[in-house]
Amino acid sequence: MGAPTTSAAKRTSAAKPASATKRVRGPRESLFSRAGAMLVMAICTFYFLVPIWWLFVAATKDRSDFTSSAPLWFADFNLIENIAALANYRDGLFFQWMLNSVLYAGAGAAIATLFATMTGYALAKYAFRGRETIFNIILGGVLVPATALALPLFLVFSQVGATNTFWSVFLPSLVSPFGVYLARIYASSSVPDELVEAARIDGSGEVRTFFTVSTRLMMPAMVTIFLFQFVTIWNNFFLPLIMLRDEELFPVTLGLYIWNSQVSQIPEIRALVIIGALLSIIPLIIAFLGLQRFWRSGLGTGAIK
Amino acid sequence: MTTTVARPTAPTKKVKKRAVTKNRGAVIFFITPFAVLFSLFYIIPIIAAIYQSLLTVEREGTFGKPTEVFGGLVQYARVFQDDAFWQSILRVAGFGVVQVPIMLGVALLLALLLDSPLVKGKRFFRLAFFAPYAVPGVIAAVMWGFLYSPNLSPFTAITSEINFLGADLVLWSIANVVTWVFIGYNMIIIYSALLAIPSELYEAARLDGASQARIAWSIKIPLVAPAITLTSIFSIIGTLQLLAEPQVFKSFTSAVTSTYTPNLLIYSTASVPNVNLAAAFAVVLALLTFALSFTVLKLTQRKAD
């Protein structure tokens, strides 16, 4: 199944002439259905983007404008002042949280991707006893949700006295069973046996072949695994919630949650929650935009089998 | 027939077996890091939780020192008698029965529209619909909490008439937040699967004068069934594990209690603390999730045969 990537690419490039012929031939592709389709798209765009637009606009307002001006349009532009206020509040605790999140999610997803790719590759390219058993156990792991594991993990970490540490949130995030599943499917379709064999004949060791040849072919899958593990860790809430007590260790989601629950006691914190919420989604949007070429083709592979 | 098949397979098996012994070191190298972490942070916690759930706390007298003793299935008996737990399960089940089909239905519709020649500006729409996925569940819930609130919302005309945070509607307000975040994600999975279908498959249908709707219904949807299965399973898991959104809504409205969803109940039970009962809840919930996902997988696989 090397098909997904190539055929996807082929079809996007072929899309224009194909739709041109369709316009001539397709008997029922009327203006009416075209307009209907565009209307659905417009309504959905509105639904998906208005909340984010509102957040952006709200983050640019000072406290009096927030309640007195039109919610969906700008008043005085105070974005920079608001960010400065956020940076000053409690010695920039918010930016410590952002840094923590980047560290948990960035380093965690990078290591998780490497380990998942290695395992998926081994499961795809080598025949060995117990291979299917191992794969089925890992597949079972895909069906066990992260939140169901949070409490058991807490029990284990408290047994060894390691709760409320960086490691208690970081280490569990290095495991990505879905990544192994994706890597296996992708490796069996996109890394030809002949190529591995050729590398062998050239005298390359198995490990060297993996790192120099196979990882290049598996790059779309690896970017996909990285991104989705990154998002999973970035969005993770339950695990830090039960593991961490020390504010300095919080990821940004937990920090903003705690602030939001304090709004009734400290009303001025509300503006910080809003500007913080806006800043917290920017890294993910950048990651998705920057890497979308890779992960879309990789994701298709996982969905087909 | 048998001899022709048997002859080529026998030698390949021998070759493969030799390859195993030759590459055992590589396989061990590739699999070990993941296997160690998977055991430490998936298998051991699950075993620990099952073990914890079989213990019960006994005190010598009312103020005596508590000791954990083996209690058999005492905790599970409590789980099955706990009305709040089953109510929370019923609540998320009702939530899932409504939310998952709506979300996946819209995701499928949008993916089909993106894949059809009816729509212009696909790149923009794809990004617009996917953008909410970059918003972590906690942050999305905070944002929508503001949007729902009667005095801060941009839509005060609506929110002053309808109480989205009241006991009647809050579950569906939460459903809307989850739908908002995940439609784009599911759409992309289905869309990637659509892109992987070779376009020659449509040509015959088009020559026969089939409309885009007919092609979608008779060709595209059956072919992306595996992708829909995958998204259904993830959605079921997500629904039963609902936590971050209701947890945030607790600070906006008193209609969300600490036993509102199974995971909230587990969290509040664990922080009482009654770790043994919480572990039993967690085990039952994980088994339910597992059973449901597995059922979906089997049902759809049989359909495909």
Side-chain angles (χ1 to χ4, degrees):
Chain A
M1 292 272 318
T5 356
T6 42
S7 72
K10 231 184 275 164
R11 279 211 40 215
T12 16
S13 58
K16 273 209 177 120
S19 68
T21 41
K22 258 180 261 172
R23 209 173 301 157
V24 183
R25 288 230 178 97
R28 272 179 269 177
E29 271 172 55
S30 59
L31 192 66
F32 183 71
S33 53
R34 239 167 242 282
M38 286 310 276
L39 184 69
V40 172
M41 298 314 248
I43 292 170
C44 287
T45 306
F46 190 76
Y47 171 65
F48 288 117
L49 291 188
V50 161
I52 296 175
W53 173 252
W54 171 84
L55 183 69
F56 175 60
V57 169
T60 67
K61 290 178 178 173
D62 67 19
R63 224 191 310 165
S64 62
D65 284 340
F66 182 70
T67 42
S68 62
S69 64
L72 289 178
W73 198 247
F74 300 100
D76 286 338
F77 200 80
N78 284 309
L79 184 64
I80 307 299
E81 289 84 342
N82 289 345
I83 294 175
L86 183 66
N88 284 331
Y89 187 72
R90 312 244 339 248
D91 295 328
L93 186 57
F94 174 82
F95 290 95
Q96 175 71 47
W97 294 340
M98 286 290 274
L99 196 69
N100 292 346
S101 277
V102 169
L103 209 60
Y104 286 126
I111 299 173
T113 304
L114 177 67
F115 289 172
T117 310
M118 281 161 55
T119 305
Y121 176 77
L123 289 170
K125 289 290 145 197
Y126 300 97
F128 53 93
R129 216 184 306 135
R131 174 168 82 159
E132 291 311 311
T133 314
I134 293 177
F135 185 63
N136 285 331
I137 292 173
I138 295 171
L139 216 53
V142 175
L143 298 185
V144 178
T147 33
L149 275 173
L151 184 75
L153 278 168
F154 176 76
L155 298 176
V156 169
F157 275 91
S158 54
Q159 285 292 318
V160 296
T163 56
N164 197 25
T165 58
F166 172 81
W167 304 106
S168 65
V169 174
F170 183 74
L171 289 176
S173 65
L174 301 181
V175 191
S176 170
F178 185 63
V180 175
Y181 163 80
L182 211 72
R184 183 191 184 174
I185 291 175
Y186 204 87
S188 51
S189 68
S190 68
V191 183
D193 287 331
E194 296 78 27
L195 203 65
V196 179
E197 200 54 53
R200 239 171 241 154
I201 288 163
D202 288 347
S204 164
E206 302 299 318
V207 174
R208 199 176 120 204
T209 307
F210 171 76
F211 281 105
T212 54
V213 179
S214 311
T215 49
R216 279 189 207 166
L217 297 170
M218 292 178 72
M219 205 35 97
M222 290 176 73
V223 174
T224 312
I225 297 168
F226 174 83
L227 259 178
F228 283 87
Q229 188 66 5
F230 187 90
V231 173
T232 308
I233 305 171
W234 189 276
N235 292 355
N236 196 352
F237 172 68
F238 199 18
L239 189 64
L241 177 71
I242 61 178
M243 285 288 185
L244 302 176
R245 292 285 162 270
D246 191 349
E247 281 188 332
E248 303 279 309
L249 295 173
F250 283 4
V252 69
T253 45
L254 181 58
L256 284 176
Y257 161 74
I258 300 281
W259 275 2
N260 186 59
S261 58
Q262 293 168 349
V263 163
S264 53
Q265 293 108 49
I266 324 169
E268 64 268 26
I269 218 174
R270 187 167 63 203
L272 301 181
V273 171
I274 287 173
I275 180 77
L278 179 70
L279 294 184
S280 75
I281 61 181
I282 291 173
L284 282 192
I285 291 191
I286 291 173
F288 274 116
L289 286 181
L291 295 170
Q292 59 161 328
R293 243 172 351 114
F294 299 97
W295 59 262
R296 279 209 309 108
S297 59
L299 191 64
T301 324
I304 288 155
K305 283 259 165 136
Chain B
M1 190 66 189
T2 25
T3 39
T4 41
V5 173
R7 230 189 248 165
T9 36
T12 25
K13 250 189 190 165
K14 218 185 253 169
V15 171
K16 272 193 180 157
K17 249 193 194 150
R18 223 184 304 140
V20 177
T21 31
K22 210 169 68 186
N23 295 320
R24 186 179 286 158
V27 170
I28 291 172
F29 173 83
F30 286 133
I31 291 187
T32 304
F34 181 85
V36 169
L37 290 169
F38 187 80
S39 313
L40 281 176
F41 304 119
Y42 266 76
I43 295 175
I44 290 178
I46 291 172
I47 293 171
I50 294 171
Y51 173 71
Q52 281 282 344
S53 71
L54 296 174
L55 300 179
T56 188
V57 174
E58 267 183 10
R59 284 167 198 276
E60 298 167 31
T62 324
F63 300 104
K65 202 170 156 248
T67 46
E68 279 187 324
V69 295
F70 183 75
L73 297 177
V74 174
Q75 304 295 352
Y76 289 94
R78 279 184 205 157
V79 170
F80 284 97
Q81 286 159 10
D82 194 308
D83 285 341
F85 180 69
W86 295 104
Q87 271 169 22
S88 71
I89 294 270
L90 279 179
R91 191 173 291 120
V92 290
F95 178 103
V97 167
V98 176
Q99 189 262 340
V100 173
I102 290 179
M103 174 176 68
L104 294 184
V106 176
L108 176 63
L109 173 73
L110 294 179
L112 287 169
L113 284 174
L114 276 182
D115 192 55
S116 79
L118 298 172
V119 166
K120 297 254 163 337
K122 294 178 188 207
R123 212 181 129 75
F124 168 77
F125 289 123
R126 212 170 55 208
L127 288 178
F129 301 168
F130 190 65
Y133 183 64
V135 182
V138 176
I139 309 293
V142 168
M143 251 167 70
W144 279 95
F146 283 117
L147 294 177
Y148 289 139
S149 77
N151 35 24
L152 299 169
S153 171
F155 312 104
T156 33
I158 305 169
T159 51
S160 57
E161 291 297 316
I162 304 168
N163 182 7
F164 286 101
L165 298 172
D168 299 334
L169 277 182
V170 72
L171 187 65
W172 308 114
S173 303
I174 294 172
N176 175 53
V177 179
V178 177
T179 309
W180 182 78
V181 172
F182 284 102
I183 280 185
Y185 169 76
N186 292 305
M187 176 198 78
I188 291 283
I189 292 186
I190 299 169
Y191 180 63
S192 306
L194 281 170
L195 284 183
I197 301 173
S199 53
E200 298 86 64
L201 278 181
Y202 309 137
E203 258 147 44
R206 224 179 281 136
L207 288 176
D208 287 344
S211 67
Q212 285 302 321
R214 187 63 213 264
I215 291 175
W217 182 257
S218 308
I219 302 177
K220 291 183 178 180
I221 292 181
L223 282 173
V224 295
I228 297 171
T229 309
L230 188 80
T231 52
S232 315
I233 291 172
F234 285 152
S235 307
I236 289 171
I237 294 177
T239 306
L240 277 169
Q241 301 296 324
L242 211 57
L243 175 89
E245 293 83 1
Q247 179 90 10
V248 170
F249 273 63
K250 267 177 74 183
S251 57
F252 287 109
T253 169
S254 58
V256 178
T257 61
S258 59
T259 61
Y260 203 69
T261 72
N263 262 329
L264 272 179
L265 175 73
I266 291 171
Y267 175 59
S268 48
T269 311
S271 44
V272 168
N274 189 344
V275 175
N276 307 109
L277 183 59
F281 280 136
V283 170
V284 173
L285 181 63
L287 284 176
L288 277 174
T289 314
F290 202 90
L292 257 172
S293 324
F294 199 72
T295 312
V296 171
L297 201 67
K298 283 292 150 201
L299 280 179
T300 43
Q301 261 176 4
R302 205 174 39 190
K303 230 187 201 170
D305 283 343

